Amino acid sequence: STLGASAAERGGRYFGTAVAANKLNDSAYATILNREFNQVTAENEMKIDALQPQQGQFTYGTADRIVQHARSRGMQVRGHTLAWHSQQPGWMQNMSGSTLRTAMLNHVTQVATHFRGQIAWWDVVNEAFADGSSGARRDSNLQRTGNDWIEAAFRAARQADPNAQLCYNDYNIDNWTDAKTQAVYRMVQDFKNRGVPIDCVGLQSHFTGGSNYPSNYRTTLSSFAALGVDVHITELDIRNAPTDAYRNVVNDCLAVARCKGITVWGIRDSDSWRSNESPLLFDGGGNKKPAYDAVLTALNNG
Ligand code: G3I
């Protein structure tokens, strides 16, 4: 009768949501969170600028509050994110070369150590590939420290928290034939071949209606899984929340044994970064939308 409970009955999967710490005191919000979901991702509170606003000064209080809220209620926590070109604090934005490499790896080590034992999955690296047809890495200050910055981050994370599952997370890697999808696939394949510690791939899955929900999404999920990694749908939202697209996403995950769960990127439409697109499962009043029923039905019968 709830998203989390129904997902759990489908091979121990989870159904989660992004949460914002400043909404945990909103009773309508917390009621839905605590009733429906068995996994959370901090929407902003574990990003680099939130955790290390000044170099060497770590501010964990707000993130700890989310982790405590979740774990005390049996919800699993996805850590988001250790290394990213965006949401860097000013001091990091201005760094380059080996100084930046060292600072990035120190951030990974410090943060993964702080949360050791509490995080089921880390988005170790987020959004490192370019959009479009190049199949190249995204240009960024981190990329300019050397192409091996991603594997260096994964190795540091593994060392700091050996029991966390380590994921690469990105958007627009949903369509199997896209150059960006293929490029990420080749990186994961290379990491597996060379023993770089990677356990999972996160597909953010920010969809704009039915139009960019690709008919080959299930192929993408199963192709990554065939490399020997789990797959996660990490930031799902769909413009106007069409019931058929939501149902298809759930059924595609259920069809792939290594698809471990789905996280929607917010609870109510009013909580969404795309609040003008009504992309979530609950309306601004906290009422279940038709997409909610489609998802729950798919979880139960799909
Ligand atoms: O909290 C401050 C507030 O004090 C300030 O007055 C206000 C003015 O700009 O900004 C507030 O911070 C904003 C924060 O959200 C909290 O609302 C930031 O500006 C804003 O940039 C930030 O946006 C977040 C965005 O990531 C930043 O990269 C969104 O909430 C969040 O949903 C979004 O999430 C990303 C994932 O991390 C990665 N994948 C894509 C996804 C959507 O963009």
Side-chain angles (χ1 to χ4, degrees):
S1 61
T2 67
L3 301 171
S6 293
E9 288 177 16
R10 303 305 298 272
R13 289 180 173 84
Y14 64 82
F15 203 100
T17 180
V19 296
N22 62 8
K23 291 176 184 158
L24 292 176
N25 296 325
D26 170 339
S27 66
Y29 181 90
T31 297
I32 302 172
L33 169 63
N34 298 343
R35 184 186 70 220
E36 295 288 342
F37 298 98
N38 57 3
Q39 182 274 338
V40 302
T41 305
E43 188 173 3
N44 288 297
E45 293 82 349
M46 291 191 193
K47 293 174 180 176
I48 311 172
D49 59 352
L51 294 184
Q52 197 180 174
Q54 306 294 332
Q55 189 172 15
Q57 293 178 21
F58 290 83
T59 49
Y60 290 116
T62 311
D64 284 343
R65 192 140 47 87
I66 291 177
V67 172
Q68 160 69 17
H69 183 102
R71 285 175 51 80
S72 67
R73 291 166 177 80
M75 305 169 181
Q76 291 182 285
V77 181
R78 176 178 205 85
H80 176 78
T81 173
L82 293 171
W84 190 19
H85 69 277
S86 186
Q87 300 295 109
Q88 292 181 1
W91 63 265
M92 186 179 276
Q93 291 177 33
N94 295 325
M95 278 184 174
S96 62
S98 60
T99 314
L100 173 61
R101 174 74 72 108
T102 301
M104 180 272 289
L105 292 176
N106 181 58
H107 184 84
V108 171
T109 298
Q110 296 290 328
V111 172
T113 300
H114 173 83
F115 291 106
R116 178 163 50 206
Q118 306 188 77
I119 303 294
W121 315 271
W122 267 115
D123 289 334
V124 177
V125 170
N126 195 41
E127 301 176 359
F129 280 79
D131 294 315
S133 58
S134 70
R137 293 285 184 83
R138 174 191 298 278
D139 180 47
S140 71
N141 61 348
L142 292 170
Q143 180 62 27
R144 278 175 251 129
T145 72
N147 205 52
D148 61 342
W149 73 277
I150 297 179
E151 62 189 88
F154 274 84
R155 292 187 202 281
R158 177 70 96 222
Q159 204 174 5
D161 187 354
N163 293 322
Q165 298 276 294
L166 305 182
C167 302
Y168 176 78
N169 192 53
D170 214 329
Y171 64 89
N172 285 353
I173 57 168
D174 313 292
N175 189 321
W176 175 239
T177 62
D178 280 357
K180 186 173 175 180
T181 310
Q182 291 295 315
V184 172
Y185 177 86
R186 284 193 298 274
M187 180 190 74
V188 176
Q189 186 175 48
D190 172 55
F191 281 13
K192 294 299 287 183
N193 286 340
R194 291 191 295 112
V196 177
I198 184 168
D199 306 301
C200 36
V201 172
L203 290 83
Q204 294 183 9
S205 304
H206 295 291
F207 293 132
T208 48
S211 60
N212 81 331
Y213 163 74
S215 58
N216 59 23
Y217 189 62
R218 189 179 298 191
T219 300
T220 306
L221 295 174
S222 61
S223 299
F224 276 115
L227 292 175
V229 291
D230 289 337
V231 289
H232 298 255
I233 298 169
T234 53
E235 305 183 13
L236 179 64
D237 51 20
I238 313 179
R239 181 188 293 163
N240 299 325
T243 53
D244 55 343
Y246 264 109
R247 180 185 307 117
N248 287 337
V249 170
V250 172
N251 284 330
D252 287 345
C253 181
L254 292 173
V256 176
R258 294 197 81 142
C259 182
K260 295 300 180 183
I262 298 173
T263 307
V264 286
W265 204 241
I267 297 178
R268 301 163 303 197
D269 286 333
S270 51
D271 302 315
S272 172
W273 69 299
R274 307 160 74 185
S275 57
N276 58 338
E277 298 181 6
S278 307
L280 295 175
L281 302 180
F282 295 86
D283 68 21
N287 304 298
K288 296 171 181 175
K289 294 165 59 180
Y292 172 96
D293 297 316
V295 166
L296 186 64
T297 301
L299 288 171
N300 288 334
N301 308 321

